[in-house]
């Protein structure tokens, strides 16, 4: 019988050393960009009380209804692996009274999320998000900044994308729209799919998100929420568009865009890639002014987004990915036990001086060591044999142009220093 425990669970995977360079570079890049926009990192637990997500995301959503990893812990309490981080961030904001001083709070996070979704290309059950949230502002410039940071981040990585923009109204104007939507839907229900029929009764707005081809002609005929916005929502939306235009950000109006989480009011947006297939959403977000109160906190205006790292990493231009692969600056090859001890000493010294060195514990012949150095993409190889040991001068071979010459340890340090400077210019 197959040992199933030797396989990752469906929808999960190992991120192996060969690809981790890309992930680390993207994460580092995110940290730099987010901090330029004055966002600070928050790390919330991966596991939370189930009620937090059931209330926050909405009981009728697919995420809460079908996709959460929920179980009872040893104390009998129902807990859930976080399917997203916004509810957790708001919980942390309330629990730590971060609203106390007034003003705005800007937070970002990077980490794994868990949704038991149907298997499909680009969908994982453990996936990674980078997200940012601004709490404490109802200014449409905050909405514009959230969109801008997401696009800036993608652009700076060389990833092409498109912004889809909508407003989903607020509790004062949305009910009127939903009433209209329901009455229009009544006419088409027998022709619509089972999911549409279920959603028409439970979470009417989500009908607009149906992807079934036969439903599309009817869905395209349904009224648009943007025609039902109250004066305040309409004003917020048009001011947001003015800020986006001033920032030179283009968008595609998407009057049928609804998101899979119930907390959104007013601004809702998605950033899609033209290069991905069906799962083309790279990022999604919007305003969630009522979420804090819904969770039992004070009234707080807030807006945020999250970006799917798994999808982003597949879109990174090849030349950038190669640049992010780990490469030793120096590979140390040695012949014989005394040379091995010297190699250990040199590697130790250089690592303390902050150079990336590779030293194998299974040396083999010089030829096989050089083969490994090439495979690892090392720039230089230091060769230590009996002769070199005796003279305290080592052979340095450049793998870029095959030159070889001799130097002492202090000369080696000097050379590595100038080689590093040269590769930076
Ligand atoms: P979301 O649209 O559910 O929003 O997820 C954001 C992004 O996470 C998606 O656009 C997609 O790139 C990625 N993603 C979602 N599910 C998967 C999956 N199964 N596999 C791979 N990638 C996935 C949220 O999570 C909200 N919390 C965003 C937000 C923050 N709204 C306000 N603040």
């Amino acid at each position: 019988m197959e040992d199933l425990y030797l396989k990752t669970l469906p929808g999960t995977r190992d991120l192996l050393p060969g690809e981790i360079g890309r992930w680390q570079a993207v994460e580092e890049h995110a940290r730099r960009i987010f901090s330029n926009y004055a966002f600070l990192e928050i790390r919330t637990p991966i596991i939370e009380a189930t009620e937090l997500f059931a209330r926050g995301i909405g009981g009728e959503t697919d995420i809460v209804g079908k996709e959460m990893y929920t179980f009872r812990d040893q104390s009998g309490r129902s807990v859930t692996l976080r399917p997203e981080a916004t509810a957790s961030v708001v919980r942390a904001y309330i629990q730590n009274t971060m609203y106390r001083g007034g003003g705005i709070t800007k937070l970002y996070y990077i980490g794994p999320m868990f949704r038991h979704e149907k298997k499909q290309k680009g969908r994982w059950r453990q996936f990674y998000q980078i997200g940012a949230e601004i709490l404490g502002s109802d200014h449409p410039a905050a909405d514009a900044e959230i969109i801008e940071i997401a696009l800036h981040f993608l652009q700076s990585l060389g990833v092409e994308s498109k912004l889809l923009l909508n407003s989903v109204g607020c509790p004062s104007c949305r009910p009127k729209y939903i009433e209209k939507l329901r009455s229009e839907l009544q006419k088409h229900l027998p022709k619509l799919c089972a999911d549409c029929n279920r959603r028409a009764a439970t979470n009417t707005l989500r009908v607009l998100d149906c992807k079934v081809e036969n439903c599309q002609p009817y869905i395209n005929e349904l009224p648009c929420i943007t025609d039902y916005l109250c004066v305040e929502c309409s004003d917020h939306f048009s001011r947001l568009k003015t800020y986006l235009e001033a920032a030179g950000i283009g968008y595609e109006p998407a009057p049928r865009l609804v998101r899979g989480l119930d907390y959104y009011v007013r601004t809702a947006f998605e950033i899609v890639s033209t290069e991905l297939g069906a799962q083309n959403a790279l990022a999604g977000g919007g305003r969630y002014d009522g979420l804090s109160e819904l969770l039992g906190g004070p009234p707080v205006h807030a807006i945020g987004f999250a970006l799917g790292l798994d999808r982003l990493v597949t879109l990174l231009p090849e030349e950038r990915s190669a640049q992010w692969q780990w490469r030793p600056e120096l590979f140390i090859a040695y012949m014989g036990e005394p040379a091995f001890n010297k190699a250990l000493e040199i590697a130790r010294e250089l690592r303390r001086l902050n150079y990336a060195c590779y030293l194998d514990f299974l040396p083999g012949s010089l030829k096989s060591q050089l083969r490994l150095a090439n495979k690892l993409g090392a720039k230089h190889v230091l060769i230590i044999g009996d002769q070199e040991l005796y003279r305290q001068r080592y052979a340095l071979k450049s793998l870029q142009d095959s030159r070889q010459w001799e130097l002492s340890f202090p000369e080696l340090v000097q050379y590595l220093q100038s080689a590093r400077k040269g590769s930076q210019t």
Side-chain angles (χ1 to χ4, degrees):
M1 211 180 89
E2 225 183 333
D3 291 332
L4 284 178
Y5 62 87
L6 285 179
K7 286 203 172 126
T8 48
L9 295 171
T12 71
R13 67 192 152 147
D14 302 310
L15 296 173
L16 297 173
E19 56 188 323
I20 208 70
R22 268 178 285 169
W23 286 77
Q24 289 172 333
V26 167
E27 288 167 13
E28 231 171 79
H29 193 65
R31 290 181 197 287
R32 205 166 38 245
I33 292 200
F34 287 127
S35 104
N36 289 347
Y37 284 78
F39 285 77
L40 297 180
E41 186 178 0
I42 183 166
R43 297 186 191 186
T44 60
I46 281 168
I47 190 165
E48 300 257 16
T50 301
E51 194 60 19
L52 174 68
F53 302 115
R55 272 183 186 228
I57 299 170
E60 299 299 337
T61 60
D62 284 352
I63 295 179
V64 174
K66 310 192 242 184
E67 296 169 359
M68 295 210 300
Y69 281 90
T70 297
F71 55 95
R72 295 211 174 265
D73 70 7
Q74 281 76 352
S75 68
R77 181 168 189 182
S78 179
V79 294
T80 292
L81 297 181
R82 65 179 184 197
E84 60 109 45
T86 308
S88 300
V89 169
V90 175
R91 194 257 321 122
Y93 180 81
I94 300 168
Q95 182 176 343
N96 298 288
T97 56
M98 291 164 87
Y99 47 83
R100 209 172 20 204
I104 60 169
T105 305
K106 292 169 123 183
L107 302 167
Y108 78 86
Y109 48 86
I110 302 177
M113 311 291 156
F114 304 84
R115 296 183 194 172
H116 197 283
E117 298 210 54
K118 272 199 209 118
K119 270 175 75 180
Q120 203 173 330
K121 191 166 177 276
R123 268 195 200 174
W124 294 94
R125 290 184 178 164
Q126 175 173 338
F127 59 97
Y128 294 79
Q129 284 187 344
I130 293 187
E133 318 282 352
I134 302 180
L135 299 118
S137 173
D138 65 349
H139 203 296
D143 306 41
E145 186 175 279
I146 278 289
I147 292 173
E148 186 177 348
I149 192 173
L151 290 171
H152 177 180
F153 176 61
L154 289 170
Q155 271 157 15
S156 62
L157 288 170
V159 173
E160 305 258 342
S161 62
K162 185 168 75 175
L163 169 65
L164 307 178
L165 186 65
N166 196 18
S167 172
V168 292
C170 70
S172 89
C173 55
R174 200 184 302 156
K176 224 185 290 160
Y177 170 69
I178 289 179
E179 205 180 297
K180 179 74 184 162
L181 199 57
R182 278 215 178 104
S183 80
E184 288 296 312
L185 276 170
Q186 284 309 318
K187 300 181 201 160
H188 307 301
L189 279 182
K191 290 158 276 176
L192 292 171
C193 71
D195 259 354
C196 278
N197 273 271
R198 184 177 49 82
R199 285 170 171 166
T202 57
N203 196 352
T204 318
L205 269 186
R206 295 287 301 158
V207 172
L208 298 174
D209 204 29
C210 176
K211 301 283 184 295
V212 176
E213 210 173 304
N214 288 344
C215 298
Q216 298 312 306
Y218 308 105
I219 290 172
N220 288 337
E221 290 299 306
L222 293 170
C224 291
I225 191 157
T226 36
D227 295 329
Y228 288 78
L229 297 180
C230 59
V231 179
E232 291 77 10
C233 286
S234 179
D235 178 57
H236 185 93
F237 198 32
S238 60
R239 287 173 68 206
L240 164 61
K241 289 192 249 183
T242 309
Y243 282 111
L244 290 177
E245 279 150 24
I249 295 173
Y251 57 85
E252 190 174 301
R256 293 199 166 76
L257 175 79
V258 283
R259 309 256 310 119
L261 307 102
D262 279 353
Y263 48 62
Y264 292 110
V265 295
R266 295 191 173 167
T267 311
F269 67 91
E270 278 185 3
I271 298 173
V272 296
S273 155
T274 39
E275 288 173 52
L276 291 171
Q279 300 304 312
N280 67 351
L282 273 175
R287 189 160 268 290
Y288 50 94
D289 290 345
L291 183 55
S292 170
E293 265 177 300
L294 186 72
L295 295 176
V300 177
H301 296 282
I303 169 110
F305 83 96
L307 184 145
L309 267 181
D310 307 71
R311 294 179 191 173
L312 169 63
V313 165
T314 63
L315 291 173
L316 295 175
E318 203 40 56
E319 62 282 5
R320 288 217 184 205
S321 301
Q323 178 192 325
W324 290 328
Q325 183 65 33
W326 183 84
R327 295 169 69 183
E329 286 167 288
L330 187 72
F331 184 104
I332 307 179
Y334 55 90
M335 271 96 42
E337 188 70 15
F340 175 56
N341 289 332
K342 188 65 182 178
L344 284 173
E345 193 186 310
I346 290 181
R348 185 178 308 118
E349 287 284 324
L350 289 176
R351 286 167 180 160
R352 289 195 177 150
L353 293 170
N354 207 19
Y355 292 100
C357 300
Y358 191 95
L359 177 65
D360 207 4
F361 299 112
L362 295 168
S365 65
L366 179 60
K367 205 167 150 198
S368 70
Q369 291 186 68
L370 287 176
R371 210 179 304 127
L372 178 59
N374 265 311
K375 190 171 150 208
L376 291 170
K379 293 174 193 154
H380 301 95
V381 183
L382 190 75
I383 302 169
I384 313 177
D386 289 343
Q387 288 243 352
E388 285 81 6
L389 201 58
Y390 175 72
R391 292 167 44 215
Q392 298 282 310
R393 291 183 72 76
Y394 313 99
L396 186 72
K397 187 178 167 70
S398 158
L399 291 186
Q400 278 144 346
D401 55 18
S402 295
R403 274 184 311 139
Q404 189 166 320
W405 65 103
E406 265 190 20
L407 30 61
S408 65
F409 182 72
E411 286 166 347
L412 172 67
V413 174
Q414 231 170 26
Y415 175 79
L416 288 175
Q417 204 173 11
S418 58
R420 192 183 269 183
K421 271 197 196 127
S423 71
Q424 278 167 359
T425 51

